[in-house]
Structure formats: C-alpha cells, structure tokens
Amino acid sequence: MTEHLATPTPGGTTGSPADGTAGGTAGGTAGDRPPPARLAFDGHTWKEIAHLLANFPAALVGFVYVTTVLLVGAGLTVTVVGLPLLAAGLLGARTFGRLERARARALLGVRVEEPSPLPLRREGGFFSRLWMALKDPVGWRTALYAFMRLPWGVVTFAVTLVSLFVLWPVLPFIARGLTNADRAMVRGLLSPSDELERRIAELESDRGIVVDTAAADLRRIERDLHDGAQARLVNLAMGLGLAKEKLLEDPDAAAAMVDEAHGEVKLALQELRDLARGIHPAVLTDRGLDAALSSVASRCTVPVRVTVDLAERPAPAIEGIAYFTVSELLQNVSKHSGARSASVEVWRSSDRLLIQVGDDGRGGARLDAGTGMKGLADRLSAVDGLFVVDSPEGGPTAVTAELPWRDRTAADAAGRAPGDERTRRTSGSR
C-alpha cells in the first residue's frame, strides 16, 4: 500500500495525489506550473487567453456585487438590517471565491484548497452566527479580491484582445506574464490561511477531548458513589431500622447495632471525603498548590521533594489542572517506577506555568504505555498546554508539563488566605 503525503506550502495551497500535483507555492511548483511559453499556440496558451478574456466579465460581476451588497450593508449598519446584510454579503463573497478558484483551476492549472466552511449550525443563537460571519477572514479577502479585479480585468481584456490581432506572434509570452499575475492574486487572496485552518482543526479536536474527559469524570463519580458511599448508606439505613425494631425487645442487641451503624457512618464520611478530594480538594482551594501538592506527596510511597515557586496563584482552572497532573504522575511513580525518591517542581516563566516531576526509577515511561499519561497529554493539549516525557530505559524519568498562565480574578484574589502572596517550600515526605 502506498501512502501519499500532501505537504502545506508557503502559498497556502496543497497538492492532492488524485490530481497528480505536488502542491502550489507563490511561484508555482512542478505540479501546477504550465510548460514554458512558445511561439506556437498550444492548449495551455489558449486556456490562458480564454482566462484573460473572461477576466473582464467576471471582474465586473464581482465588483458590482461588492459595491452594491457590501458597501450598502456597511452604510446601513446604523439600522437593524445593516449588519445582517453585510454578513450575508460576506457569505455570498465566499461563493464568488469558490467560482474563481474553479476558473483558475480549470484554465490556469492553479490548485488552491477550499477553505473550511463556517460552522454556523453549531452556533447557538442568531447574534453568535452573525458575529462569526462578520469576522470571517475568507469572506473579507474574497471581497478585496473582487473589488480590485475590475481595473485589472479591463487591462487584461484590452491587451489580450488587441494582441490577438496585432501582437499575435508574441501573444503566448504576453499571456504568460499576465496570467502569472493572476495566479499570484488567486494564491494570495483566495487561498485558505494555513495557520487559521490548523487552529480550527486543533480547537475542534480539543473540544472533543474536553467533552470526552468530562463525560468520563462524571461516569467515574457516579460509579464511585454507587459502589461506595451509596451502598454503605443503604446498609446503614437498614441497620438503623433493625435497631429501632429491637430497641424495646432487646436493648443490648439494638445498642450493638447502633454502635455498628456509627462505624458505618465514619466509613461513609471517609469515602465521601476521598471522593470530594478527587473532584477538587479543599486544601487546594484554601491554601493553593504548595499545600495541596505537599499533601499529595505525603501519600506517595517514596520520599518526594516538593518545590513551589510562585509569586501569586494562577486561575482556579489552571491550578486544578496542575494539581491533578502532579497527582496522576505521583501515582504512576508509586505504582510503576520502582523509584527510591522523586521530586516535584512548579514555577512560572513569563506567561506559562511549568511543572516538572522526576524520579530515579527504572524509566521506560511512554505516552502509549497505558499509565494514564496519554490522557494527561490530551487534557493539557485541550487548554493549549504541552506534555513531554523523557524516560529512557533504566531511568531516570523527567516529565515536564506546561500550562498557559491566567491570573485569578479580583474576587478570587480577595478570597485568598494571607501568606499566599509568596510560596516557596521544600518538603520531604513519605
């Protein structure tokens, strides 16, 4: 089986194996570059002449559309119909751009990828859809293309028509020069933005990861409640009911049942506390990462040195992700590493929160090894974070995580405990 790889190029175009191209750049590539111009007219030359002659009517249609729809819509923005008319005009400009890309592909051999459609159906309300259409960069670039093409279309139509009768011996070279300018305009204004398309794809993938992660967490919480505290509370209710029935008949047996129920209550409370700690520990909310990570380190089976060097606390969401990342990594140290010691370091560098967890164990940790690291990498990726594992066979292991730094809101800052302005602590625990 042979795989074909389509490589993005600086011009924003990508070749497709199906059409036998290798991609398009600002100057053209071997896939969509026409053969050299010759004095004898060939098929490529006649296609270029046809494209140049069609420039004037196509440019006229585009110019009239832009001036009548977009400019009128912009002028009526002071009314309730102005912005919807402008948004509809930009959506129509996308259709004009698709027709121009098809014309360039058929007559000039320029293969430009189609931009991604606007996800209007996934937007909730009318105003969110309106705003998405108004800020569409593809629509605005297409409108600019249609607006500036009219004088160029007049020039190319006139020069080509006159050259057919007066300068026909050198017309192939004239046509090549004019169509090269056309190719540059199509690639520059009608091609999708590689960075924008990549970012859209990343955000769509990250949104799916966030949804799947939230659903998995809800299932885990439901399972823990059903199998743990809920079952224990049901047994407690049954025991108290039996004790109530025996209270008059056999006070000693009822007292024993009440004593047993008291023990069940303690166990149920402990399970609920553990479950709440798994959702969001109280120590993290009250005292921040320093105290919360020290608490996690104390439950690790190996001594852990914790160093938190933060001048202030990050946003609660970032703080929570950092906490659960370290918690999961320390669980892996306890279960899989065979280490004698471990370390956790947390610090801020510019607009990033950096976390490094290391151990002197056997190494060999990988994202696909089934230790939960793939899930951690996905979670961090969903918030524009990074997750890097350096774990050669034989150790040591160093896992580095990066999260975007976001400041806490004024309300969060007002609720901080005194002494949180500067936290730096190194602790050894077992």
Side-chain angles (χ1 to χ4, degrees):
M1 180 181 296
T2 302
E3 294 186 358
H4 299 276
L5 179 64
T7 306
T9 57
T13 63
T14 305
S16 171
D19 55 30
T21 65
T25 65
T29 64
D32 61 6
R33 182 183 300 160
R38 299 180 299 170
L39 290 176
F41 289 16
D42 56 10
H44 285 283
T45 301
W46 284 115
K47 286 183 177 180
E48 290 176 343
I49 293 172
H51 184 275
L52 293 172
L53 293 176
N55 270 350
F56 176 64
L60 183 61
V61 171
F63 183 83
V64 171
Y65 175 82
V66 168
T67 54
T68 57
V69 177
L70 297 187
L71 295 183
V72 171
L76 293 177
T77 52
V78 294
T79 68
V80 294
V81 298
L83 290 179
L85 181 60
L86 184 59
L90 289 172
L91 293 177
R94 273 180 162 254
T95 303
F96 176 76
R98 183 165 60 249
L99 296 176
E100 283 295 284
R101 282 188 292 271
R103 185 166 72 97
R105 184 166 53 248
L107 299 178
L108 301 182
V110 177
R111 293 167 177 84
V112 177
E113 291 295 325
E114 295 291 332
S116 299
L118 290 177
L120 295 177
R121 294 184 179 180
R122 289 186 295 209
E123 291 297 320
F126 170 77
F127 290 102
S128 59
R129 296 179 184 180
L130 178 65
W131 176 244
M132 177 178 290
L134 288 175
K135 66 179 184 178
D136 177 26
V138 175
W140 283 110
R141 283 191 282 115
T142 306
L144 176 61
Y145 174 87
F147 188 81
M148 63 183 290
R149 289 282 292 181
L150 181 60
W152 176 252
V154 173
V155 171
T156 57
F157 178 82
V159 171
T160 305
L161 188 61
V162 171
S163 299
L164 275 174
F165 299 98
V166 179
L167 301 174
W168 60 266
V170 293
L171 179 56
F173 300 95
I174 297 175
R176 179 57 49 84
L178 295 175
T179 53
N180 280 341
D182 274 331
R183 291 183 178 94
M185 281 188 277
V186 170
R187 291 191 182 103
L189 294 175
L190 297 185
S191 62
S193 170
D194 288 341
E195 181 65 22
L196 179 61
E197 295 293 304
R198 181 190 64 79
R199 185 61 180 155
I200 290 174
E202 285 183 356
L203 291 176
E204 289 179 347
S205 175
D206 291 345
R207 182 179 62 180
I209 292 172
V210 170
V211 171
D212 293 341
T213 301
D217 288 342
L218 287 176
R219 289 194 299 269
R220 177 183 60 80
I221 294 170
E222 182 182 8
R223 183 177 63 251
D224 291 345
L225 283 173
H226 183 272
D227 297 341
Q230 180 179 340
R232 196 173 296 280
L233 290 174
V234 169
N235 292 332
L236 173 63
M238 294 175 61
L240 288 175
L242 292 175
K244 181 179 178 181
E245 293 178 358
K246 291 182 175 294
L247 184 60
L248 297 178
E249 301 175 2
D250 191 353
D252 294 335
M257 289 182 179
V258 171
D259 185 62
E260 183 179 354
H262 184 256
E264 289 288 329
V265 168
K266 291 182 178 180
L267 292 176
L269 289 175
Q270 181 62 41
E271 289 183 355
L272 289 174
R273 279 195 295 267
D274 293 340
L275 181 61
R277 184 183 297 115
I279 298 173
H280 195 84
V283 65
L284 178 63
T285 303
D286 296 338
R287 300 174 59 189
L289 276 174
D290 184 22
L293 295 184
S294 298
S295 175
V296 171
S298 67
R299 299 194 296 270
C300 189
T301 58
V302 301
V304 181
R305 179 173 57 86
V306 179
T307 303
V308 178
D309 186 5
L310 296 176
E312 57 182 342
R313 294 176 61 178
I318 299 300
E319 197 174 55
I321 294 174
Y323 170 83
F324 287 111
T325 298
V326 174
S327 178
E328 181 72 20
L329 290 174
L330 289 182
Q331 287 184 28
N332 288 340
V333 171
S334 298
K335 295 178 182 178
H336 308 293
S337 70
R340 295 185 298 273
S341 64
S343 64
V344 176
E345 297 182 31
V346 181
W347 71 99
R348 178 182 179 181
S349 177
S350 184
D351 60 346
R352 307 290 285 181
L353 177 66
L354 287 91
I355 304 166
Q356 189 168 71
V357 178
D359 65 73
D360 59 358
R362 65 177 66 95
R366 301 189 310 275
L367 291 179
D368 57 350
T371 56
M373 288 194 177
K374 182 64 168 62
L376 288 177
D378 290 341
R379 288 194 181 196
L380 266 66
S381 174
V383 293
D384 286 338
L386 295 176
F387 189 81
V388 180
V389 179
D390 181 14
S391 182
E393 292 293 340
T397 296
V399 179
T400 304
E402 287 189 19
L403 289 166
W405 179 275
R406 292 206 301 268
D407 294 326
R408 299 175 81 85
T409 62
D412 294 328
R416 281 205 303 258
D420 281 346
E421 295 300 321
R422 179 75 179 177
T423 59
R424 182 182 179 91
R425 178 175 182 174
T426 302
S427 61
S429 56
R430 188 174 187 83

